Amino acid sequence: MADPSPTVARAGFPVSRQVLADHVYEALLEWLMDGRLEPGAAVSIDGMARELDVSPTPVREALARLEHTGMVRRVALKGYRVAPVFTREDFAELMEARLSIEPVNARLACSRMTPDGLDALKQAVEDLKTAPRGGTFAEYRGYLEADERFHQLIAAQANNQFLLAAYNTLGGQIQRFRLFGGVGITDAEQAIAEHQAVLDAMTSGDPEKAAAMMVDHVEKVRGRAMADAPSD
Amino acid sequence: MADPSPTVARAGFPVSRQVLADHVYEALLEWLMDGRLEPGAAVSIDGMARELDVSPTPVREALARLEHTGMVRRVALKGYRVAPVFTREDFAELMEARLSIEPVNARLACSRMTPDGLDALKQAVEDLKTAPRGGTFAEYRGYLEADERFHQLIAAQANNQFLLAAYNTLGGQIQRFRLFGGVGITDAEQAIAEHQAVLDAMTSGDPEKAAAMMVDHVEKVRGRAMADAPSD
DNA sequence: GCGCGTGCGTTCCTATAGGATTTGTGGCAT
DNA sequence: ATGCCACAAATCCTATAGGAACGCACGCGC
């Protein structure tokens, strides 16, 4: 093993330490999100263990957790595979689910917004505006991250653990679709304006308007994506 | 093990076999739902392995999956514990989340209802009416099961994998609360009437009314529970 | 040529062993 | 009596080994 000292325990991190399965989980999640693991690809337990230089046991545990997020699927005695690409129907269902949850999150978040939360939201929109959005993944990665962060912050500010959990499950799928939907970033200006509209409603403290702006945003995202990607 | 022939492959069930971790998962889920594992109790990996007469490995995998459902919580290097009892705030959040998702499910289910689905719903309401509802868990278990089944069927009929997944996460928590909310079944007549109202709207094919009746039901459930259980 | 059984490598699945960590207990000094 | 340290048991965590199942290629018979 490369590192003979398993318990590094860097000074200042006495609590909430991480075990190997956590690192494996994060590594796999990152690989799923940045396209290193493509949809449909097999995720071999032993293979990942070799790749990450750990034993299969923590890999198995990490995959068991990932399965429940919908990122990978398991077939008994056959192993795990990365979830297949979204069909048009899958995407429509995902947007339908977003339309059920995100406006509610926006309304609640607006009512319960903290000053720090609002600052974080403003920062996310600012990052959206300044993020580079070139043609390669590395170039628009920051943009995607800011987009996801914006929605995630709203879900968190709604201050409801169940809605947050529900959104987080969707959020992973949304992020994965953004990556494999395959159209890069073609709608940045419009998307930024829609995000700004949601933020403005939040700033002015108008929950109903925040919800309405979120509905508007998600519907327009759906419209643009359905027009852009007639793949299926 | 009782069955020495692992690949019995009973006629009609050639596919989708189960491995030990699946059985462990189901056993733990059942114990969590029965109340055999009480909130706050430690769920020792080795202990459960001894209890179920398997090795710790499949237990670890089952618990990793369960963690994502919110039924158990994990602390690194300390182990798993059954999620604590709901506080009043937790319950309010759960109902808020239900109000966001279930009416949408009801609306969509009404639009997309199949004849078989409607029959299953009618059966669930019928079971609610006829189920015994005595004082012990064994006596009102059938009632709880029919209640959960009614909502689960609606979520399934909404025909949206993401909304279904979101509901299922909530559904487990709802069921767990019903058990540990601690007030038994005191509102059967009213609850049955509310379920019937949802079913009637579904039968008549009125999606908006179905959604409205669902809102009404969940709000009344919240009201009754908040009045019954001023525990916190 | 085509279907089918056989053999082999890969992978999954489970059990087991041992190191690392936490927790509870008892003794000691203050 | 209180606080602190050492020790021990229980538990978690990781690695490893071996049995079982799967997938694939090869070869045989029709």
Side-chain angles (χ1 to χ4, degrees), chain A residues 129 133 143 185-195 224:
Chain A
K129 291 177 181 171
R133 32 185 196 267
Y143 178 89
I185 308 295
T186 63
D187 60 348
E189 295 307 327
Q190 305 154 64
I192 288 172
E194 291 156 20
H195 284 134
R224 288 192 293 266

Side-chain angles (χ1 to χ4, degrees), chain B residues 19-21 54-58 77-78:
Chain B
V19 291
L20 263 191
V54 297
S55 81
T57 311
L77 298 178
K78 287 191 54 181

Side-chain angles (χ1 to χ4, degrees), chain B residues 5-231:
Chain B
S5 64
T7 45
V8 50
R10 298 203 305 275
F13 257 92
V15 296
S16 182
R17 300 185 315 185
Q18 288 199 143
V19 291
L20 263 191
D22 294 328
H23 289 292
V24 174
Y25 181 87
E26 288 171 12
L28 288 176
L29 195 58
E30 189 177 332
W31 290 359
L32 284 165
M33 292 303 201
D34 283 35
R36 178 164 173 179
L37 290 172
E38 292 183 11
V43 184
S44 156
I45 295 174
D46 292 340
M48 285 301 141
R50 284 191 296 271
E51 189 106 5
L52 294 167
D53 197 34
V54 297
S55 81
T57 311
V59 175
R60 175 175 295 277
E61 185 174 333
L63 281 171
R65 286 191 233 164
L66 274 173
E67 185 195 1
H68 207 280
T69 70
M71 309 281 259
V72 299
R73 299 188 179 190
R74 181 181 75 97
V75 178
L77 298 178
K78 287 191 54 181
Y80 292 88
R81 306 190 77 85
V82 182
V85 278
F86 275 25
T87 65
R88 214 175 165 74
E89 289 72 26
D90 290 334
F91 178 74
E93 288 184 19
L94 179 60
M95 288 301 143
E96 193 172 72
R98 287 186 73 179
L99 280 172
S100 307
I101 293 177
E102 294 213 60
V104 175
N105 283 345
R107 181 183 304 113
L108 294 174
C110 191
S111 306
R112 300 165 182 174
M113 183 65 67
T114 64
D116 284 354
L118 194 56
D119 286 345
L121 268 185
K122 286 178 180 171
Q123 184 61 52
V125 173
E126 205 57 35
D127 291 347
L128 262 184
K129 292 177 180 170
T130 60
R133 31 186 197 269
T136 73
F137 171 69
E139 285 170 340
Y140 61 82
R141 172 179 187 150
Y143 178 90
L144 290 186
E145 186 275 327
D147 189 346
E148 168 63 17
R149 177 152 45 90
F150 180 81
H151 292 274
Q152 154 75 31
L153 280 168
I154 289 176
Q157 284 289 315
N159 213 38
N160 182 310
Q161 57 182 312
F162 303 104
L163 288 173
L164 178 58
Y167 172 75
N168 279 337
T169 300
L170 293 185
Q173 304 290 344
I174 295 167
Q175 193 72 336
R176 217 172 74 91
F177 171 79
R178 289 197 189 101
L179 193 55
F180 294 110
V183 294
I185 308 297
T186 62
D187 59 349
E189 294 308 325
Q190 306 155 63
I192 288 171
E194 292 157 21
H195 283 135
Q196 182 69 53
V198 173
L199 177 59
D200 289 345
M202 295 257 175
T203 306
S204 67
D206 185 342
E208 293 312 317
K209 182 160 189 186
M213 290 300 99
M214 184 62 87
V215 169
D216 182 65
H217 169 50
V218 175
E219 283 181 341
K220 286 182 175 165
V221 166
R222 173 170 62 181
R224 288 192 293 265
M226 296 290 258
D228 277 358
S231 51

